[in-house]
Amino acid sequence: MLLAVLWTSGLIASAQSTPPYPTQYVLKSWSVADGAPTWAQVTQGYDRYLWFATDQYLGRFDGMRFTRFDVGTAAQAHSDFYSHVFADREGNIWVGTDNGLLRISQGKLSRYTTNDGLSDNTIWVVTQGMDGDLWIGTAKGLNRFHNGRFIVYTRSEQLPNDNIEAVCAAKDGAIWIVTHEGLRVFRDGQFRKVDNAPAGISSSGLFQLHQDRRGRLWFVVGGSLYLYDNGAFKLYGRDFGIPEHSIAAITSDHTGAIWIGAADSSLYRLDSDRAVRCSPEEGLSGDVQQIFEDRAGNIWITTSVGITRLSAARILTYSSEGGRGSHNIWSVTEDGSGDIWLAGGKDVTRLHQQAFTRYDAKDYLAPNVSVTVAYADTSGTVWMGTANGCTIARDSKDCNDSRMM
């Protein structure tokens, strides 16, 4: 008998539109009842935690639990909202707040304010240039964090407005800056005006600015989506299969595909200039806030009602010749460490990092009795039931704690 394992949890979802997605995806959602944040900004640290910034708190997700990160209770540490979260290439987590800029490095928290040289304590966005410098957009100027000090750029340095709405560090070393009154590019030490920028990009309502793997820039502004490529802007709308006035978020994945989120709970994947829609009926709920790809290739969508993960479905097939014990499989369970336990016949098999370990009577399983069910509880104990009782494995290490129930 062959065992086919869907290597993730949730429901298989693929777009019903034509053309179909090139890959099937599995959706898993977490709501407020699960501890998930709403309207969150998201990034991934070197510790593989997902970090979330919301209006009210800073949080983390370890794959199983959402927790709030304690930023301190002192008056000088208090923040009414957390606007942005960013992971730099050195492993630091940077958080924008209304009371300065936070840095989390190796579990230790530091705070930067106007007392340290910032132009303002209201932080909207943080990014990192190709040279390693941080660029921070605030309500009163653009800041460059270079060699431990802040360099401030304001209207007097050729910026059209001091309220910095978006900043993008391009792969060619340029820094793109959007304000309420215009678009600028910082290149070779100078700010340059982008004369052919659409009028909409110079107005309020900009949500995101993103560069894809091909080096093209995408602007989400006022619900509309613009592409900047080879010196020209192009509006993406109905001709490409997406709405023109409700776009809220964008990212690109490791394959080069563009993911677009809309305010009507719809998600689009753009391939070859044609979008395929994944509708709310296929698992996504809530207005989209941000789309983010983690290092494992999962797509995370933060919404008004929680978090959704979109994972490519991989189907792996195992046989008894490949290391599994019995031909018959009666039960499958996953423990807290991600190991898969298979019950069937007179043995139990654990799959750990693609390697099988077989347990039988010499590991305290009842001899000559079939194991018909396996179940992993929240404490890390795996329960294996037979016709003559139950055997338990503690901490998912081995079957060395045997009890007849």
Side-chain angles (χ1 to χ4, degrees), residues 81-377:
F81 69 85
Y82 298 85
S83 58
H84 190 77
V85 61
F86 174 78
D88 68 21
R89 293 190 290 273
E90 291 70 44
N92 301 302
I93 301 295
W94 298 86
V95 185
T97 78
D98 64 335
N99 192 19
L101 178 67
L102 305 182
R103 180 179 70 177
I104 302 169
S105 179
Q106 298 180 346
K108 296 181 179 179
L109 185 141
S110 305
R111 182 182 295 269
Y112 299 90
T113 67
T114 53
N115 294 330
D116 303 295
L118 273 173
S119 61
D120 191 63
N121 286 337
T122 299
I123 311 297
W124 297 129
V125 62
V126 183
T127 192
Q128 187 174 32
M130 294 301 295
D131 58 3
D133 288 356
L134 288 182
W135 292 82
I136 303 104
T138 78
K140 295 181 181 178
L142 177 68
N143 296 253
R144 182 180 188 178
F145 193 53
H146 175 75
N147 290 336
R149 70 184 188 93
F150 293 99
I151 303 170
V152 176
Y153 303 96
T154 61
R155 186 190 294 265
S156 60
E157 282 80 32
Q158 300 180 335
L159 285 174
N161 190 282
D162 288 343
N163 191 17
I164 308 300
E165 298 188 15
V167 182
C168 179
K171 294 178 175 64
D172 63 359
I175 305 297
W176 290 74
I177 307 105
V178 178
T179 78
H180 177 63
E181 298 180 20
L183 174 65
R184 294 292 185 272
V185 180
F186 184 82
R187 196 190 307 271
D188 300 325
Q190 294 184 341
F191 289 95
R192 293 180 170 88
K193 184 179 180 181
V194 183
D195 293 320
N196 63 334
I201 294 179
S202 301
S203 64
S204 61
L206 181 83
F207 288 94
Q208 292 184 22
L209 175 56
H210 174 76
Q211 186 175 41
D212 64 24
R213 292 174 62 87
R214 294 167 55 184
R216 303 176 301 173
L217 286 171
W218 296 85
F219 296 80
V220 176
V221 54
S224 297
L225 178 64
Y226 295 90
L227 170 66
Y228 179 79
D229 189 27
N230 293 323
F233 286 88
K234 178 166 63 174
L235 175 66
Y236 271 66
R238 293 188 182 91
D239 291 343
F240 300 94
I242 58 177
E244 293 184 0
H245 303 295
S246 62
I247 303 302
I250 188 169
T251 197
S252 55
D253 66 21
H254 64 283
T255 70
I258 307 299
W259 294 86
I260 302 162
D264 64 353
S265 303
S266 293
L267 182 69
Y268 299 83
R269 175 174 165 145
L270 183 65
D271 285 299
S272 302
D273 278 344
R274 186 65 188 173
V276 178
R277 181 174 183 261
C278 181
S279 70
E281 291 77 15
E282 290 161 335
L284 188 65
S285 59
D287 295 343
V288 176
Q289 168 77 4
Q290 187 188 2
I291 310 171
F292 173 79
E293 184 187 36
D294 66 20
R295 289 195 292 276
N298 299 306
I299 301 295
W300 295 84
I301 306 107
T302 64
T303 73
S304 57
V305 298
I307 308 291
T308 294
R309 182 187 65 200
L310 193 63
S311 304
R314 295 189 295 129
I315 299 178
L316 307 178
T317 302
Y318 301 97
S319 68
S320 56
E321 289 74 17
R324 226 207 63 74
S326 173
H327 288 274
N328 298 316
I329 300 168
W330 300 105
S331 180
V332 181
T333 190
E334 181 180 8
D335 66 23
S337 63
D339 291 353
I340 303 298
W341 292 77
L342 312 171
K346 297 179 175 59
D347 56 52
V348 172
T349 304
R350 179 177 58 150
L351 178 59
H352 173 72
Q353 296 180 353
Q354 302 303 305
F356 287 100
T357 302
R358 181 184 175 189
Y359 303 102
D360 52 24
K362 69 178 182 298
D363 302 294
Y364 301 101
L365 281 175
N368 302 317
V369 178
S370 293
V371 181
T372 56
V373 64
Y375 172 75
D377 65 23

